[in-house]
Amino acid sequence: MKDSLKDYLFEASNRGFIGENETNKALEISKAFSDIVSGGVYTNAIDLGSGIGIPGLYLAMNSNISVDYLDSNSRRTAYLKNFLLLNDVEGEVINKRYSNASDFTKYDLIISRGFKDHKLLVEDFNGSGSKTTVISTTTSSIPYLENQKIYRKNILGNIFYIAKTECFT
């Protein structure tokens, strides 16, 4: 199935959904996300601003975590839905803007690859009614928040900061 993900990314690049030079970086960031959550007890995740589903697809295909995908671009979500169907990968693709999506209480893991500032995501999910872990990445440093771990990763010559923060009710 990993080959099908690489093929998917290559085809997505050909269709202009992701830059040709971005595919390997996206895959490496996805691996880093997966490493960070390994050993955790997560069951339901959502990939915010998922685009074509990276890193959510990598996580869904390499763990027992059920992943849903939220993106407002109908072309990208249609492409992602087709991949899920053809490769028997479970998950719901939600074609909405983040600001219009309402109920995130079923998710114990929120992942975001550059979608929204990490601190703002944490503020959105603190007091959400459920314990949730937020993981996001940026190329700039992340301000320290309570209950947070920051991972500095060199991914294909680029420094990325990945923050993992526990949010509580």
Side-chain angles (χ1 to χ4, degrees), residues 19-34:
E20 185 177 337
N21 297 327
E22 294 295 310
T23 56
N24 287 333
K25 192 183 329 178
L27 199 53
E28 291 302 315
I29 290 170
S30 300
K31 289 177 185 176
F33 273 42
S34 187

Side-chain angles (χ1 to χ4, degrees), residues 38-168:
S38 68
V41 186
Y42 304 107
T43 55
N44 294 302
I46 188 162
D47 184 351
L48 297 179
S50 63
I52 58 168
I54 302 299
L57 278 174
Y58 187 89
L59 190 60
M61 295 170 74
N62 292 285
S63 73
N64 292 324
I65 300 171
S66 173
V67 180
D68 291 342
Y69 310 85
L70 176 75
D71 197 89
S72 62
N73 183 296
S74 58
R75 284 186 61 230
R76 289 190 300 237
T77 55
Y79 184 68
L80 176 56
K81 281 181 187 179
N82 190 52
F83 179 83
L84 295 178
L85 183 65
L86 292 175
N87 291 278
D88 198 30
V89 178
E90 291 186 25
E92 181 183 1
V93 179
I94 306 160
N95 184 215
K96 284 186 178 181
R97 296 188 61 76
Y98 173 72
S99 57
N100 294 336
S102 56
D103 187 15
F104 293 102
T105 56
K106 80 175 194 176
Y107 302 108
D108 51 16
L109 181 62
I110 309 296
I111 55 177
S112 169
R113 187 176 69 92
F115 166 68
K116 187 176 179 181
D117 178 80
H118 183 79
K119 184 179 178 188
L120 296 176
L121 278 175
V122 170
E123 288 171 0
D124 287 351
F125 289 98
N126 264 333
S128 65
S130 61
K131 182 179 176 199
T132 305
T133 299
V134 176
I135 298 179
S136 68
T137 186
T138 182
T139 54
S140 59
S141 62
I142 298 171
Y144 180 77
L145 303 171
E146 192 175 346
N147 303 311
Q148 175 173 278
K149 290 184 181 177
I150 298 175
Y151 303 84
R152 184 178 185 269
K153 301 278 186 178
N154 184 331
I155 297 175
L156 302 176
N158 298 292
I159 301 299
F160 285 87
Y161 296 91
I162 301 174
K164 176 182 176 185
T165 306
E166 302 291 332
C167 301
F168 299 96

Side-chain angles (χ1 to χ4, degrees), residues 1-40:
M1 217 187 277
K2 289 178 186 172
D3 286 339
S4 64
L5 184 56
K6 287 180 183 178
D7 292 343
Y8 172 75
L9 287 173
F10 179 76
E11 180 61 27
S13 175
N14 286 340
R15 292 177 181 224
F17 290 129
I18 188 170
E20 185 177 337
N21 297 327
E22 294 295 310
T23 56
N24 287 333
K25 192 183 329 178
L27 199 53
E28 291 302 315
I29 290 170
S30 300
K31 289 177 185 176
F33 273 42
S34 187
D35 289 346
I36 289 168
V37 301
S38 68

